[in-house]
DNA sequence: CGCTTGATGCGAGGTTCTCGCATTACTTTC
DNA sequence: GAAAGTAATGCGAGAACCTCGCATCAAGCG
């Protein structure tokens, strides 16, 4: 992997934003209004947002930012490891900021209520090791959006 | 969980087709040409096919079957538990016949070459139990399309 | 064989996402 | 602080995947 990113206070939006901007700059990428806004929105929520969601919220702040730009922005941020994306059954891809690069967590989605629950980062470690040994397949647990039924829907 | 793998001859297409048709009939559903063809195609391959794939192959046999019909057919077959569908990142949903209803397997997709590899049915059993206990979330490992990089792509 | 109604064919259209191209604006250099 | 070079954006067209309503057809029944 890469060198440990010295994140000071993990949930302080301003610090996260500053780090993200610094990373972009370090990689030779330009700091544009759309990029600032997308990072800002993601840094100030713990929700998992679709591009549509992001576009909507970014629009509320700065008018005229095109949907295609948001798509390109999240693509860029994913490539640089600044945000994670998970693919959901029956729906769009959702995005969320990477706070700790060494502990990106797993997700599960309820097929009844579409809610997303976060799971421990190490949940699939054992399985990953097993799959690597048996099948030579290197699991990326980040993208693994598991599915099932959540506590509430099972009860209801 | 038990391990009832390979009781009769699990890969005999004709037997599988016969069973599937019988199930449809038992459920009061009509046995139509499109349904026959979709089941037939799926029974004679171990690939994971998209609706587009299915439509193409069905068309080669009987002309005039509409794409929308294939969509409706797979939906019906999924509902009756005759086929499984998995949602893939960056692509369409793929379908494959359920051979053993007690041991539907897991899947992983290579993000480099888009290949799908089948994984043991019990791979996520431990994780599923853990998630259920800790989070009350009932995992459905059928839909869980894991992602990562396959042996070939890691080597290349 | 004819009836009933579930299933299909068809096309319109929705949603999610991509792409090419002209224009804008971020960064660097002077 | 202005000009230059080019990365990034805004825009619209359109691809890919999927859904739906409705008229028609045919599977299964007696």
């Amino acid at each position: 992997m890469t060198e440990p990113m010295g994140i000071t206070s993990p949930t302080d939006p301003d610090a996260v934003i500053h780090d993200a901007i610094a990373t972009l700059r370090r990689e030779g990428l330009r700091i544009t209004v759309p990029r600032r806004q997308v990072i800002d929105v993601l840094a100030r929520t713990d929700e998992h947002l679709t591009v549509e969601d992001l576009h909507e919220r970014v629009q509320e702040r700065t008018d005229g930012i095109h949907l295609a730009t948001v798509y390109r922005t999240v693509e860029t941020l994913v490539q640089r490891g600044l945000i994670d994306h998970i693919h959901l059954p029956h729906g769009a891809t959702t995005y969320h900021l990477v706070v700790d690069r060494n502990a990106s967590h797993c997700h599960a989605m309820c097929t009844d209520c579409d809610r997303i629950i976060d799971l421990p980062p190490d949940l699939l470690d054992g399985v990953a090791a097993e799959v690597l040994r048996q099948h030579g397949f290197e699991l990326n647990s980040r993208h693994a959006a598991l599915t099932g039924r959540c506590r509430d829907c099972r009860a209801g």
Side-chain angles (χ1 to χ4, degrees), chain A:
Chain A
M1 301 301 174
T2 52
E3 71 282 3
M5 290 284 127
I7 290 174
T8 49
S9 61
T11 47
D12 175 29
D14 292 321
V16 173
I17 293 166
H18 183 270
D19 280 1
I21 301 276
T23 300
L24 289 186
R25 213 180 287 277
R26 197 183 318 121
E27 304 250 350
L29 296 170
R30 294 184 179 175
I31 313 303
T32 64
V33 172
R35 287 179 180 168
R36 267 185 205 282
Q37 294 287 30
V38 167
I39 291 169
D40 203 85
V41 168
L42 286 173
R44 298 184 195 286
T45 184
D46 57 354
E47 293 174 87
H48 299 80
L49 302 178
T50 64
V51 170
E52 205 71 44
D53 294 333
L54 273 169
H55 182 234
E56 215 168 279
R57 300 197 188 187
V58 162
Q59 278 287 66
E60 287 169 12
R61 300 148 168 241
T62 312
D63 198 60
I65 291 178
H66 200 268
L67 182 62
T69 301
V70 180
Y71 272 102
R72 284 185 285 227
T73 300
V74 293
E75 193 189 346
T76 300
L77 297 179
V78 165
Q79 278 170 4
R80 311 298 154 157
L82 291 171
I83 66 179
D84 270 351
H85 64 298
I86 51 174
H87 301 275
L88 302 175
H90 307 296
T93 306
T94 64
Y95 297 83
H96 61 283
L97 212 74
V98 173
V99 177
D100 182 349
R101 295 209 191 184
N102 298 313
S104 106
H105 54 280
C106 303
H107 303 86
M109 176 182 171
C110 177
T111 46
D112 282 13
C113 68
D114 288 3
R115 207 179 314 171
I116 298 168
I117 70 167
D118 291 335
L119 297 172
D122 61 353
L123 182 71
L124 292 180
D125 283 0
V127 169
E130 178 75 4
V131 171
L132 182 59
R133 195 168 56 79
Q134 299 270 5
H135 302 86
F137 192 93
E138 184 184 31
L139 219 60
N140 180 353
S141 57
R142 293 183 182 193
H143 294 316
L146 305 172
T147 56
R149 295 182 68 221
C150 72
R151 194 196 305 269
D152 296 350
C153 288
R154 287 202 307 129

